[in-house]
């Protein structure tokens, strides 16, 4: 099973790629009403007991590079959904 998601292109621009044992995201928040949401998500992962679960690098213009350990991928995606940066999250069966 693979976790897939969808987003509103008026709210964020998002892409991901696999890098070694991590998933790397490029996220640009486009909607002013969601600017604070990425900072809240960053604080959530910064304040837990696992230092290397999600690393967030903040750039200008509400751009972020986020490195997520594979075992925290679902947690990160669900936080994006919780703060309405994503519009849909679902498990999809992978074809052989």
């Amino acid at each position: 099973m693979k976790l897939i998601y969808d987003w509103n292109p008026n709210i964020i621009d998002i892409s991901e790629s696999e890098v070694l044992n991590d998933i790397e995201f490029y996220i640009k928040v486009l909607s002013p009403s969601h600017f604070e949401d990425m900072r809240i998500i960053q604080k959530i992962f910064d304040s837990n007991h696992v230092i290397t679960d999600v690393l967030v690098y903040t750039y200008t213009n509400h751009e972020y590079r986020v490195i997520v350990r594979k075992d925290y991928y679902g947690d990160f995606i669900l936080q994006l959904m919780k703060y309405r940066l994503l519009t849909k999250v679902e498990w999809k069966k992978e074809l052989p």
Side-chain angles (χ1 to χ4, degrees), residues 33-89:
S33 64
H34 290 280
F35 285 166
E36 185 63 23
D37 295 335
M38 273 304 295
R39 285 190 283 267
I40 292 169
I41 293 169
Q42 179 178 7
K43 286 178 187 175
I44 289 167
F45 287 103
D46 284 349
S47 67
N48 70 13
H49 68 284
V50 182
I51 297 171
T52 60
D53 54 354
V54 175
L55 302 173
V56 179
Y57 298 93
T58 305
Y59 300 99
T60 58
N61 298 323
H62 308 284
E63 294 180 35
Y64 301 86
R65 182 173 148 234
V66 184
I67 301 171
V68 180
R69 269 186 17 196
K70 284 185 180 178
D71 51 334
Y72 283 88
Y73 180 82
D75 296 340
F76 179 70
I77 294 297
L78 291 177
Q79 285 297 325
L80 293 175
M81 182 69 178
K82 177 181 177 181
Y83 286 93
R84 300 177 191 242
L85 295 171
L86 300 177
T87 57
K88 177 175 112 176
V89 176

Side-chain angles (χ1 to χ4, degrees), residues 4-9 12 14 81 85-90:
I4 62 167
Y5 54 87
D6 201 6
W7 63 94
N8 179 337
I12 65 168
I14 185 170
M81 182 69 178
L85 295 171
L86 300 177
T87 57
K88 177 175 112 176
V89 176
E90 71 176 301

